[in-house]
Amino acid sequence: MRSSFTPALFVLSLLSSAGAIGPDCVAGPLASNKICDKNASPPERAAALVAAMEDQEKLDNLMSKSKGVSRLGLPAYNWWGEALHGVAGAPGINFTGAFTNATSFPMPLLMAAAFDDDLIFKIGDIIGNEARAFGNNGKAPLDFWTPDINPFRDPRWGRGSETPGEDIARIKGYTKALLAGLEGDKPERKIVATCKHYVGYDMEDWNGTDRHSFDAQITMQDLAEYYMPPFQQCARDSKVGSFMCSYNAVNGVPTCADSYVLQTILRDHWNWTEHNNYITSDCEAVADISLNHHYAATNAEGTALAFIAGMDNSCEYEGSSDIPGAWSGGYLNTTIIDKALKRQYEGLVRAGYFDGDAATYAALGLEDINTPKARELALQISAEGLVLLKNDDHTLPLPLTNSSKVAMVGFWANDSSKLSGIYSGPAPFLHNPVWAAEQMGLSVVTATGPVLQNSTANDNWTTNALAAAESSDYILYFGGLDTSAAAETTDRLHIEWPTAQLDLINKLADLGKPLVVIASGDIVDNSPILALPGVNSLIWANWPGQDGGPAVMKVISGAIPAAGRLPITQYPANYTEISMLDMNLRPTNSTPGRTYRWFNGAIQPFGFGMHYTTFNATFAASKLTYSIPDLLKNCTAEFPDTCPVPAFEVAVTNTGNRTSDFVALAFIKGEVGPAPYPLKTLISYTRLRDIKGSETKAGQLPLTLGNLARVDESGNTVLYPGEYTLLLDEPTQTEISLTLEGEETVLDEWPQPPKRK
């Protein structure tokens, strides 16, 4: 979905969202309607409201800017809220009055790099509390279109940092924890979260093909194994309140008009129907059905196809769908319209929208925004997500004191606007690295630097940077890619460091002083930095949020140890020779494969991250043997792939003298099941905290039958008997054998799509 909407529409949406949340269920016209009866079931309540509407009133409430029904006392409602890493700007959100800001956490990619789902749950809880506080006070809807869980398949994707990375196990763990925090654990939802963009969406505009017309050709194997599982977590396992269908088509059918995607898989196979939640389109995606995919002759027919396929709400700018035309042309009937409206309003019933002060989360308010706990968590996740990629001669942590003179050079050293990334609301504060260094009492000299890929460092930049560096004990260079402004409209053509920045870094390296590079934005090919002897250390910082500056300085100084891991592969610059439109994961004669599972030429791989100490990690067992019949014998879950397998036990010893966290990563590999075989696959992870020098801590790596299974060519999830190898850490420290005995067993039979004409 877009972040660029017109100011006029934004102002109108703000005006329409003012006032207390929900209708008057005490003395208003709806008071006698069952929608206001808390003793009735959510489906009964929603059905009663829809039954009271006239035809035109129904049509007026099928889009994101729903008009409400004044005759019934049903307020207008804008379904479009955003909360990717904190409550953010959106047409339905109003940052006015006392509600002028919200906690701004790092971008999801950096949060995922901490590999700590307990922390992600706490952050989701904070975001959900703040979002509900906005909603309770008429400043926002109760619907928030987050999280973005499309796998980060290609390093050029402009929106990749919105996601938890490239690995399915990591995405599912992040998603499960975040949704539990966002929506809460009560019968009523705190907010209605929305999993997006369903499905096969991971490009914006590349070499003349854009997201509005792209037809993603995906095999059933890749669809079931990679593109779908995050959404399975949302629907089947986390029972999220809402989904968003995407702009693109999959195998010839626009997702918002595809009953196979929306009904067969989402509602039927994943049993999402019983929760009767709603599906919104991405904004303008309905118009794309006819205008760009040419799947329908007119917008009216395309609009009808979407609602018939299972979409329930059209997110739109003016004219993005043609609901009146679909109705008057006879393409839409009352049965389909009523079904969509019932799903929408049942979602609001389940969030207490019609319950006023009696709603479960009605007490959340201004005092729940920007709390001390929220500030603490924002700083913690930012610091713990930072990834140390180079540290020659143990340069970091720097022995900083009040007498230390530090040159802070580069475009974001003293620019707070570079901390937040896309989909950010006004933060209570934005503390950049220079601010943080000054708070530490350091003697700081600053100089800015070049930004763009092809810009040339002018003489003033170079002169000022060298002057600052020459007068200092240490040099901190803050560079990388500043791409957040164009992230949702353009994909990258290059994944190299900007030439002008490399020129300046080389000049700084020639000074022979301790030089630390802190890179913002998405991961690019760091080869020149890694190979340059004069650069002692390299930290990846992505977009670190409201306390990004203090987080960086705490890691640089050693107050918080470096322990983050890369949630994505660092590809070589020439990887861009591959078409971004090729959705295949497995290597072919013309392509080398995608993600760490299939690509064997990473500059630095998924899961890599250095520490300020050294660790020895081992499995507690020397080998493992599991009987498939025994594993299945005690499996009583509706979905067998979710049944637990005995956890792997690991022992991690800090063999240095600095206390540090350690992220234990367990991978599996083996020439078992359908070829070609993945290089390895992450199956479990855990973050062990505060391991002191010479201390050993034990940890457990939980897993399920699904973690041990593979997906066949038809998309079925299969448990294959055979010999596997378990690997611990990246790079691997320990390997042990794992044997699965018994018969090949299908855990999940994937529904096949209908034959297309």
Side-chain angles (χ1 to χ4, degrees):
M1 215 173 53
R2 281 164 82 135
S3 59
S4 53
F5 41 84
T6 65
L9 287 176
F10 184 59
V11 170
L12 286 173
S13 71
L14 296 185
L15 292 174
S16 68
S17 68
I21 193 168
D24 182 357
C25 270
V26 176
L30 278 178
S32 60
N33 189 287
K34 189 174 283 188
I35 189 69
C36 291
D37 181 3
K38 282 204 71 173
N39 293 319
S41 70
E44 290 173 332
R45 295 176 69 179
L49 174 62
V50 174
M53 293 181 177
E54 298 174 354
D55 287 346
Q56 185 58 51
E57 293 167 343
K58 293 178 180 179
L59 300 178
D60 288 343
N61 289 280
L62 289 171
M63 69 287 294
S64 56
K65 295 188 290 290
S66 295
K67 295 180 180 179
V69 182
S70 57
R71 175 180 64 85
L72 297 177
L74 180 68
Y77 185 85
N78 196 321
W79 297 78
W80 186 350
E82 297 285 357
L84 179 69
H85 52 116
V87 179
I93 297 179
N94 184 357
F95 285 97
T96 58
F99 290 80
T100 56
N101 60 68
T103 305
S104 184
F105 292 94
M107 286 291 281
L109 192 63
L110 189 68
M111 291 197 282
F115 282 84
D116 187 340
D117 290 340
D118 290 339
L119 193 53
I120 296 301
F121 167 78
K122 293 174 184 177
I123 289 167
D125 187 44
I126 293 291
I127 295 174
N129 288 345
E130 294 194 2
R132 183 61 187 237
F134 269 76
N136 285 343
N137 287 273
K139 303 294 184 180
L142 298 187
D143 298 85
F144 290 83
W145 293 348
T146 190
D148 180 348
I149 55 169
N150 297 107
F152 195 173
R153 169 188 62 97
D154 191 289
R156 292 163 284 189
W157 184 25
R159 299 181 70 176
S161 282
E162 289 186 32
T163 79
E166 71 180 42
D167 177 72
I168 296 306
R170 181 72 199 102
I171 299 172
K172 290 178 69 174
Y174 176 100
T175 301
K176 177 181 179 180
L178 187 74
L179 290 178
L182 289 173
E183 294 198 329
D185 59 357
K186 305 291 192 300
E188 279 186 12
R189 289 190 174 97
K190 189 189 303 181
I191 63 169
V192 180
T194 303
C195 288
K196 64 183 186 184
H197 312 77
Y198 182 64
V199 62
Y201 171 86
D202 55 13
M203 61 86 65
E204 308 305 310
D205 190 338
W206 182 81
N207 273 350
T209 299
D210 70 19
R211 59 189 181 175
H212 295 280
S213 58
F214 179 51
D215 180 11
Q217 294 294 308
I218 306 175
T219 67
M220 281 299 105
Q221 188 173 33
D222 285 348
L223 190 68
E225 182 178 40
Y226 189 71
Y227 296 99
M228 283 285 194
F231 297 98
Q232 175 182 281
Q233 175 63 51
C234 287
R236 190 193 72 178
D237 302 329
S238 292
K239 301 176 177 58
V240 72
S242 174
F243 261 63
M244 175 184 285
C245 53
S246 53
Y247 294 118
N248 58 285
V250 172
N251 298 332
V253 185
T255 65
C256 290
D258 192 346
S259 61
Y260 172 69
V261 167
L262 301 185
Q263 186 66 44
T264 303
I265 299 298
L266 175 56
R267 288 199 164 104
D268 295 341
H269 187 60
W270 291 339
N271 200 20
W272 203 53
T273 304
E274 68 171 276
H275 314 295
N276 213 25
N277 304 313
Y278 84 95
I279 301 171
T280 179
S281 75
D282 206 336
C283 302
E284 299 179 295
V286 174
D288 289 339
I289 295 169
S290 58
L291 183 64
N292 292 305
H293 293 296
H294 308 294
Y295 193 73
T298 65
N299 195 5
E301 293 176 74
T303 299
L305 285 177
F307 281 102
I308 292 169
M311 187 198 76
D312 305 305
N313 186 291
S314 173
C315 174
E316 54 185 50
Y317 304 100
E318 301 304 322
S320 295
S321 67
D322 187 4
I323 293 169
W327 172 257
S328 63
Y331 306 120
L332 266 185
N333 60 40
T334 302
T335 300
I336 296 297
I337 291 171
D338 285 0
K339 183 186 294 184
L341 289 170
K342 288 174 185 176
R343 287 170 176 161
Q344 290 183 48
Y345 289 113
E346 183 176 334
L348 289 184
V349 169
R350 292 183 183 276
Y353 177 77
F354 297 94
D355 299 334
D357 292 341
T360 301
Y361 295 100
L364 290 169
L366 187 61
E367 66 278 4
D368 298 292
I369 296 172
N370 187 28
T371 64
K373 185 64 175 178
R375 295 193 293 272
E376 174 190 328
L377 288 173
L379 173 59
Q380 180 183 356
I381 190 65
S382 180
E384 293 185 358
L386 298 178
V387 184
L388 180 63
L389 299 176
K390 180 181 183 180
N391 197 25
D392 289 352
D393 302 321
H394 304 289
T395 298
L396 291 178
L398 295 179
L400 299 174
T401 67
N402 287 344
S403 62
S404 299
K405 296 179 180 179
V406 181
M408 304 185 73
V409 178
F411 73 87
W412 68 281
N414 201 25
D415 187 347
S416 297
S417 70
K418 305 303 183 186
L419 299 175
S420 296
I422 194 172
Y423 284 102
S424 299
F429 52 79
L430 290 169
H431 292 155
N432 62 50
V434 169
W435 180 93
E438 291 173 343
Q439 297 300 304
M440 294 168 64
L442 302 177
S443 176
V444 178
V445 184
T446 64
T448 188
V451 180
L452 299 178
Q453 176 73 19
N454 296 317
S455 64
T456 301
N458 63 37
D459 291 338
N460 287 337
W461 278 336
T462 304
T463 300
N464 293 340
L466 291 176
E470 286 170 347
S471 67
S472 301
D473 303 315
Y474 306 103
I475 308 168
L476 306 181
Y477 180 81
F478 295 86
L481 293 186
D482 177 34
T483 56
S484 58
E488 198 179 345
T489 57
T490 307
D491 298 306
R492 287 178 290 280
L493 298 177
H494 307 281
I495 55 171
E496 300 142 330
W497 267 82
T499 303
Q501 292 191 39
L502 288 178
D503 290 343
L504 181 53
I505 291 171
N506 271 277
K507 289 181 172 65
L508 294 170
D510 287 341
L511 298 178
K513 297 186 177 186
L515 171 57
V516 180
V517 173
I518 305 96
S520 70
D522 291 322
I523 284 285
V524 294
D525 182 351
N526 284 321
S527 296
I529 307 294
L530 297 172
L532 188 60
V535 175
N536 302 87
S537 304
L538 172 63
I539 293 173
W540 175 64
N542 195 239
W543 283 278
Q546 67 183 37
D547 248 339
V552 167
M553 294 308 299
K554 283 181 179 293
V555 170
I556 285 174
S557 68
I560 296 177
R565 302 297 189 103
L566 285 178
I568 47 176
T569 298
Q570 184 185 144
Y571 291 90
N574 65 2
Y575 193 81
T576 57
E577 296 171 5
I578 301 167
S579 171
M580 192 175 175
L581 310 182
D582 185 343
M583 304 293 285
N584 293 305
L585 302 175
R586 289 157 173 79
T588 65
N589 292 334
S590 58
T591 59
R594 294 188 179 276
T595 80
Y596 77 96
R597 295 188 67 214
W598 304 103
F599 178 68
N600 197 26
I603 302 302
Q604 289 180 312
F606 168 88
F608 180 83
M610 302 175 72
H611 306 84
Y612 295 157
T613 185
T614 53
F615 289 98
N616 179 38
T618 61
F619 289 108
S622 58
K623 64 178 181 178
L624 292 168
T625 301
Y626 291 139
S627 162
I628 292 176
D630 287 348
L631 291 175
L632 292 170
K633 181 171 59 178
N634 297 320
C635 177
T636 59
E638 179 181 2
F639 304 103
D641 59 289
T642 65
C643 284
V645 172
F648 298 154
E649 295 185 357
V650 296
V652 178
T653 302
N654 184 340
T655 55
N657 55 14
R658 286 185 176 274
T659 299
S660 176
D661 292 1
F662 179 84
V663 174
L665 304 171
F667 299 87
I668 193 170
K669 69 176 183 180
E671 295 185 359
V672 181
Y677 310 109
L679 299 168
K680 61 181 180 180
T681 302
L682 182 71
I683 56 174
S684 192
Y685 56 86
T686 189
R687 186 172 181 125
L688 301 177
R689 293 192 167 277
D690 299 323
I691 308 176
K692 299 179 177 64
S694 301
E695 181 185 11
T696 298
K697 278 196 174 181
Q700 289 197 327
L701 294 168
L703 72 158
T704 65
L705 288 175
N707 296 134
L708 300 179
R710 290 199 60 202
V711 175
D712 69 16
E713 292 84 350
S714 298
N716 303 314
T717 300
V718 183
L719 203 56
Y720 292 98
E723 300 293 329
Y724 299 83
T725 301
L726 297 179
L727 307 91
L728 186 60
D729 203 12
E730 175 57 63
T732 301
Q733 293 198 46
T734 305
E735 294 185 4
I736 64 171
S737 66
L738 168 67
T739 304
L740 289 183
E741 299 177 337
E743 298 295 324
E744 180 179 311
T745 303
V746 175
L747 301 178
D748 181 57
E749 186 173 352
W750 189 252
Q752 298 303 297
K755 293 184 184 289
R756 311 291 190 187
K757 292 183 180 180

